[in-house]
């Protein structure tokens, strides 16, 4: 026959204390995780704010590109006009020297 073991109140209390201590450990770990999660969320929000500010700067800068391209185009046109005028001036001087060899 199997022997019956009796469970005393002190055994039950000890078991209850072990279970409660494990729940307390789990609770502490969850609390720590929640605190870390809050810190991570805060850091993410901060980084998103920085990224948003940088994107706005890039957006403002990119809106200036067409104006800059137009100005560069205008400078290129002025350079071409200047070179054409210089060529006309040199051509005029050479023509003058050919027609008037004696100064």
């Amino acid at each position: 026959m199997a022997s019956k073991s009796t469970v005393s109140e002190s055994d039950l209390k000890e078991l209850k204390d072990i279970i409660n201590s494990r729940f307390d450990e789990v609770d502490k770990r969850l609390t720590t995780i929640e605190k870390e999660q809050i810190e991570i969320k805060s850091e993410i929000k901060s980084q998103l704010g920085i990224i948003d500010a940088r994107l706005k700067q890039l957006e403002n800068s990119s809106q200036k590109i067409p104006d800059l391209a137009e100005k560069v185009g205008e400078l290129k046109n002025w350079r071409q006009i200047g070179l054409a005028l210089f060529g006309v001036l040199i051509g005029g001087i050479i023509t003058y020297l050919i027609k008037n060899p004696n100064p």
Side-chain angles (χ1 to χ4, degrees):
M1 281 203 172
S3 65
K4 284 190 169 182
S5 63
T6 58
V7 177
S8 66
E9 282 195 32
S10 64
D11 291 337
L12 288 174
K13 177 152 178 36
E14 185 178 339
L15 184 59
K16 183 180 175 184
D17 290 343
I18 291 171
I19 292 171
N20 284 336
S21 70
R22 295 294 181 195
F23 276 123
D24 289 344
E25 287 178 24
V26 169
D27 190 44
K28 286 178 186 177
R29 288 181 184 174
L30 284 175
T31 302
T32 302
I33 290 171
E34 288 171 349
K35 287 179 183 177
E36 290 173 354
Q37 182 183 17
I38 290 169
E39 291 173 5
I40 290 170
K41 282 182 180 180
S42 175
E43 183 66 25
I44 288 172
K45 285 181 182 178
S46 172
Q47 293 298 320
L48 285 176
I50 292 169
I51 290 170
D52 188 44
R54 287 182 183 172
L55 283 175
K56 286 180 182 177
Q57 286 177 342
L58 286 173
E59 184 179 303
N60 290 337
S61 297
S62 68
Q63 290 174 353
K64 296 177 184 177
I65 290 174
D67 294 337
L68 293 173
E70 185 178 335
K71 288 180 182 180
V72 168
E74 290 172 4
L75 290 174
K76 184 178 176 186
N77 290 339
W78 279 108
R79 186 173 23 152
Q80 289 173 346
I81 291 169
L83 286 174
L85 290 174
F86 182 71
V88 169
L89 179 64
I90 296 298
I93 292 172
I94 291 173
T95 304
Y96 174 79
L97 290 175
I98 291 174
K99 288 184 178 181
N100 300 316
N102 297 328

